[in-house]
Amino acid sequence: MKLQTKVLLSVIYSSILASFSLILGIFEIAGSLGLHTNFAPPDIMGGFSLIIASSLILYGAKNTVKFLYDGLSFYLVGLALLIAIGLLNIIIALADLLDYYILCIGENCSGYSAHIRPEIYIFFLALLGLYPFFVRWHFRRKVP
Amino acid sequence: MIKDVLRGISQGKTLAQIAEELNMEYSALMGMIEHLIKMGYIIAVDRKPQEISACKTCPLYKVCSKNGPKIYYLTEKGKRAIK
Amino acid sequence: MLIALAGNPNTGKSSLFNAITGAHQHIGNWPGVTVEKKEGTITFEGKKITIVDLPGTYSLTAYSLEEVITRNFILEEEPDVVVDVIDATNLERNLYLLTELMELTDRIVIALNMFDEAKKKYKLDVKKMRELLGLPVIPTVAIKDKGIKDLLHACLHGYFKPKKLSYPEDVENRVEKLQRMMENLDLKNKRWHAIKLLENDSEVRKKFANLGRKDILHEAEHLRHEIEDIYGDDIETLIASFRYSFAHGLFHEVAEPLNVGGVTITDMIDHVVAHKIFGLPIFLVVMYLSFEFVFVVAAPFQDAIDLIFNGKTLASGQHINGLIDISYHWMASFMPNWASSFINYGMLRGLAAVLTFTPIIMFLFLILSILEDSGYLARVAFLMDKLMRKIGLEGRGIISLMLGFGCNVPAVMSTRALKNERERELSIALNPLIPCGARIQVFAFITAIFFKHNQALVMWSLILLSMGVVALLGYVYSKTIFKGKAEPFVMELPPYRVPSLKGIFIHMWEKSEGFLRKAGTIIVGAAGIIWLLAALPWGVQFGGENSYIGQIAHFLAPVGAPFGITPESIIALFFGFFAKEVVIDVFYVLYGTKEALFAAMTPLQAYSLLLFILFYTPCVATLATIYNETKSTKFVLFVILEGFALALFFSFLAYTIGSFLGVGG
Ligand SMILES: Nc1nc2c(ncn2[C@@H]2O[C@H](COP(=O)(O)OP(=O)(O)O)[C@@H](O)[C@H]2O)c(=O)[nH]1
Ligand SMILES: [Mg+2]
């Protein structure tokens, strides 16, 4: 496969992921304003973070396909943010689990029922979009 | 070129931005900045040792942020040069 | 034969010198100064060659000793060849010196050193460089002894036909005119002298004064003014500009960067995080994620420490003893109950409270260290500057204050660097509004207790508010009381780097240790005083209405009521005047446990309190520094009043609106 095609596929993939994250973010904000949905936990700033991260990806997508640094920069920083958000949510889940059992000491509580936030899936999915990072020296400042 | 650099400074750009706009290497720009300091167009302001030691008067002096970025100001001469 | 090695510092001159001379060197000083002079002799192709390692310089002005030594050596000793050792990985920068050397001598050989590294950065066209310059250009790798023979060969048999940099005719005419006036003087390289005279070079002027040629000096002065009139520029800049343009042009002719334009990861990140639209939202997100991390990760550790010290009461009503309970019972077996109570439930519980809070402090400092060491905080300062310029804020001194966010004291002192008095006062007036490290700790403490689910959001809103107020007040001040002129500047942003694990942990440990030590000592003292206030006069119920503390609280209650601030909080705020972080200690001593504190206030009251702490008077140390820097009692009073006004305004506003809407009650 040609380099161009690979980058194109990668960017399309990430753009779809970013669109989902964007919608998720909007619903998380809506949720905290009282409009509850099943798949989006209410979380104002969490939603805002998702919106910013995915906007960066979408904003940089076009110029990434054109092999311009300008686009790649936005694309990668956006992905990095998305990954950071996912990672944070994984850490939160682990810390909650630990906290639950610490608070349980001396009592007999039921087993921990985990609720997995969608951001955690996004973490793993976003890793797959990083391909352009590894071919970054093929990028140019301006269209040649 | 010197004037472009001075103008960039007065517009509040970063050195990296100035270097990119002038298509200069970053190290070359830094060399020019040093030169401009010698010629008296700009001055460099650094955290002075006395300020860092001032941290010690502060209740939580270890929290003090001890290193900041270097800041370059245009001098009067520098401002005149781009008028 | 005499060969001199010139070049910028750190280009590998000494390495090259060693590679050429091996053990045959002699180290001394340049006559009359303590700059090191290295000399060596070798025999090459049957010729005896002396080699001198000149001091490293970026240019050949009269501003520094090294530069004067270098140019005088080349001018007076007339080495047969000057080797310009160039660091080929920073080619453009190094070419500036070449332009100056070429005015000094024709016999230059260029050593493109560090060629091994440079090959990774650009495609270099050495042949073209030779043609464009008319001089031998030899790639070398000094540390691997590569290119040494070629270099020496070029020195002996090279073809020197330099294509010199020529200035515009208006300048060249005048250079020639000056040269002609020097005709009967015994001077080497008259063109160089003429150019330097036009450049107003102090050393060369002295030389002519010593020669008794005032006429030439006068003429040079005259010609200089003529040129400056023509170009509307001062001549030093004009000539330097030509040299820079020459170096710049040459660089682009011979070097094609492989990594286009040398774009680095740092450039890419900065392109986004310093972006005019996205920069601020990204900062808000980073800040939020950081706080979220701190609180969530600290929670299990806090609960574990709490459990160990304080034990817990089960749903069944049964109490599991913690260390403090155990210690209390043990001590009570050999001392009066009140003494054991004072030691264990007064002081020890306070200490335990500080320990419980430690995980938050540690993670807070962990994240701050990462943000600082990675270089991101410097970008935040840059971003703030841009923002303020956009709203027309005159007085960029606030930036250096932002950087001192750890503590207001050095931040106030750093305003000394500002030359403009107005700008300085503006910066000092705004400085206490930037939350220092101690205040951020207090926020973290209160937030962790009262806002179980929105901790990060609450912290975030406080920082955001303070920045907003600084920007707004800065704007208002600069238009009214502190009218002043803007001082243009540029920041050197350090490249991003992955902070070293060791560095971060040392950082984090240093900071947390400071907190623990401080809190530990204060709490013992404060606990003593407050325990006494709560226990006296003799016979009252401990901490009850009739105890001293109860009376003080009763007296203070109406003061805080409109803001939802409890009397205990007022006592804490009072102690906070001496050092902000003491607020935490006082709360613990007054309330004993987190649960008691939690029960004493509604979240709305707590938020109102947070807003108050955010703005009310800076601590004593800061005020003392402000007095020291301004020598004005009025200014100190102004800062105090400003703080209280903002504190009262915001906590009143929040409490009233909150009560009205019925949130957090
Ligand atoms: N990679 C590489 N490093 C070099 C080369 N020549 C010198 N260095 C390194 O550059 C640094 C500065 O060298 P030095 O001779 O002290 O430079 P001077 O200040 O010009 O005398 C040293 O760490 C050398 O090891 C080279 O050809 N290639
Ligand atoms: Mg050396």
Side-chain angles (χ1 to χ4, degrees), chain C residues 13-294:
Chain C
K13 286 182 305 301
S14 300
S15 309
L16 205 58
F17 178 80
N18 292 339
I20 297 174
T21 57
H24 310 277
Q25 19 179 297
H26 166 80
I27 300 177
N29 276 346
W30 291 94
V33 294
T34 52
V35 178
E36 191 183 87
K37 178 183 186 183
K38 280 208 258 180
E39 237 178 33
T41 21
I42 53 156
T43 319
F44 183 77
E45 294 180 357
K47 252 196 167 151
K48 193 162 169 269
I49 303 176
T50 305
I51 297 171
V52 180
D53 188 9
L54 292 168
T57 62
Y58 292 114
S59 54
L60 295 178
T61 57
Y63 290 116
S64 79
L65 191 57
E66 282 83 2
E67 299 184 35
V68 174
I69 291 176
T70 301
R71 65 189 210 182
N72 283 349
F73 183 84
I74 297 172
L75 201 62
E76 303 303 333
E77 306 293 324
E78 292 183 296
D80 297 285
V81 174
V82 173
V83 174
D84 181 12
V85 184
I86 281 181
D87 167 5
T89 62
N90 288 306
L91 187 58
E92 186 177 355
R93 174 181 194 148
N94 280 254
L95 287 177
Y96 184 83
L97 180 67
L98 179 64
T99 64
E100 289 221 76
L101 285 174
M102 283 169 76
E103 277 167 7
L104 211 46
T105 170
D106 285 347
R107 299 186 57 85
I108 299 175
V109 171
I110 293 148
L112 280 183
N113 197 33
M114 310 216 188
F115 201 74
D116 50 340
E117 293 293 322
K119 272 193 300 198
K120 297 178 196 158
K121 198 170 164 189
Y122 333 93
K123 210 171 100 201
L124 284 169
D125 192 340
V126 178
K127 193 161 154 268
K128 190 168 181 191
M129 194 166 169
R130 255 175 225 144
E131 282 161 12
L132 288 173
L133 286 167
L135 293 169
V137 180
I138 313 292
T140 60
V141 182
I143 48 168
K144 289 186 189 136
D145 283 353
K146 279 193 190 152
I148 308 296
K149 285 229 169 71
D150 292 346
L151 188 69
L152 289 172
H153 186 82
C155 290
L156 291 180
H157 313 290
Y159 178 73
F160 303 95
K161 201 102 175 99
K163 305 212 169 84
K164 298 220 163 189
L165 154 77
S166 53
Y167 299 101
E169 232 183 274
D170 299 324
V171 181
E172 287 291 344
N173 289 340
R174 290 172 173 82
V175 171
E176 275 162 33
K177 196 164 174 193
L178 273 181
Q179 254 174 285
R180 277 198 299 277
M181 289 181 76
M182 297 175 196
E183 226 144 50
N184 46 11
L185 282 175
D186 176 27
L187 275 180
K188 288 157 185 159
N189 199 340
K190 299 196 168 79
R191 178 181 158 83
W192 182 82
H193 281 94
I195 294 173
K196 284 290 163 189
L197 272 185
L198 284 180
E199 275 190 273
N200 209 8
D201 183 287
S202 58
E203 290 287 319
V204 175
R205 283 167 54 93
K206 235 184 277 167
K207 199 173 193 175
F208 280 86
N210 289 342
L211 286 173
R213 293 302 299 263
K214 289 263 163 54
D215 57 325
I216 295 181
L217 285 177
H218 284 309
E219 183 61 18
E221 187 89 22
H222 173 69
L223 295 174
R224 193 167 65 241
H225 287 313
E226 278 183 6
I227 296 175
E228 288 181 348
D229 282 343
I230 296 173
Y231 289 92
D233 240 346
D234 100 62
I235 188 138
E236 217 185 336
T237 330
L238 198 69
I239 291 187
S241 269
F242 278 115
R243 293 187 188 132
Y244 277 115
S245 303
F246 180 81
H248 184 71
L250 181 63
F251 167 72
H252 284 286
E253 287 289 332
V254 299
E256 189 192 331
L258 292 175
N259 177 3
V260 177
V263 177
T264 59
I265 299 213
T266 291
D267 295 336
M268 287 170 61
I269 301 177
D270 276 347
H271 187 64
V272 183
V273 303
H275 189 257
K276 56 182 187 295
I277 299 166
F278 283 111
L280 191 63
I282 291 176
F283 166 60
L284 297 179
V285 168
V286 169
M287 194 165 65
Y288 174 78
L289 296 180
S290 306
F291 286 140
E292 181 94 353
F293 171 82
V294 170

Side-chain angles (χ1 to χ4, degrees), chain B residues 1-3 9-18 22-28 30-32 34-35 38-39 41 43 45 47-48 50-51 54-55 57-60 62-67 69-75 77 79 81, chain C residues 59 61 63 67 90-93 96 121-122 233-234 236-237 240-241 244-245 248 251-252 365 372 378 382 386 389 403-404 406-407 409-410 413-414 416-419 438 441 487-493 510-511 513 515 518 581 621:
Chain B
M1 263 174 105
I2 289 181
K3 280 197 179 174
I9 293 177
S10 80
Q11 288 161 1
K13 293 177 177 145
T14 58
L15 292 176
Q17 278 170 327
I18 295 174
L22 297 179
N23 200 12
M24 275 176 97
E25 294 211 290
Y26 191 78
S27 63
M30 289 315 295
M32 193 194 277
E34 293 298 324
H35 195 170
K38 279 196 274 179
M39 295 201 290
Y41 287 98
I43 50 164
V45 176
R47 276 253 161 135
K48 303 211 170 48
Q50 90 228 26
E51 284 159 20
C55 284
T57 64
C58 152
L60 274 175
K62 281 185 172 160
V63 182
C64 282
S65 171
K66 293 188 184 73
N67 40 12
K70 226 176 185 177
I71 292 176
Y72 303 94
Y73 286 92
L74 285 188
T75 59
K77 188 176 171 191
K79 282 182 235 168
Chain C
S59 54
T61 57
Y63 290 116
E67 299 184 35
N90 288 306
L91 187 58
E92 186 177 355
R93 174 181 194 148
Y96 184 83
K121 198 170 164 189
Y122 333 93
D233 240 346
D234 100 62
E236 217 185 336
T237 330
S241 269
Y244 277 115
S245 303
H248 184 71
F251 167 72
H252 284 286
F365 287 142
E372 188 177 339
F382 174 73
K386 260 188 153 172
R389 284 179 203 220
L403 299 169
C407 181
V409 172
M413 293 188 72
S414 75
R416 278 184 202 170
L418 302 175
K419 291 170 299 169
Q441 286 175 20
E487 206 57 69
F489 74 78
V490 70
M491 254 191 281
E492 183 186 349
L493 296 174
E510 271 187 351
K511 291 177 175 181
E513 188 218 46
F515 164 78
K518 187 94 194 160
E581 68 277 16

Side-chain angles (χ1 to χ4, degrees), chain A residues 14 49 77 80 106 135:
Chain A
S14 303
S49 310
V77 172
V135 293

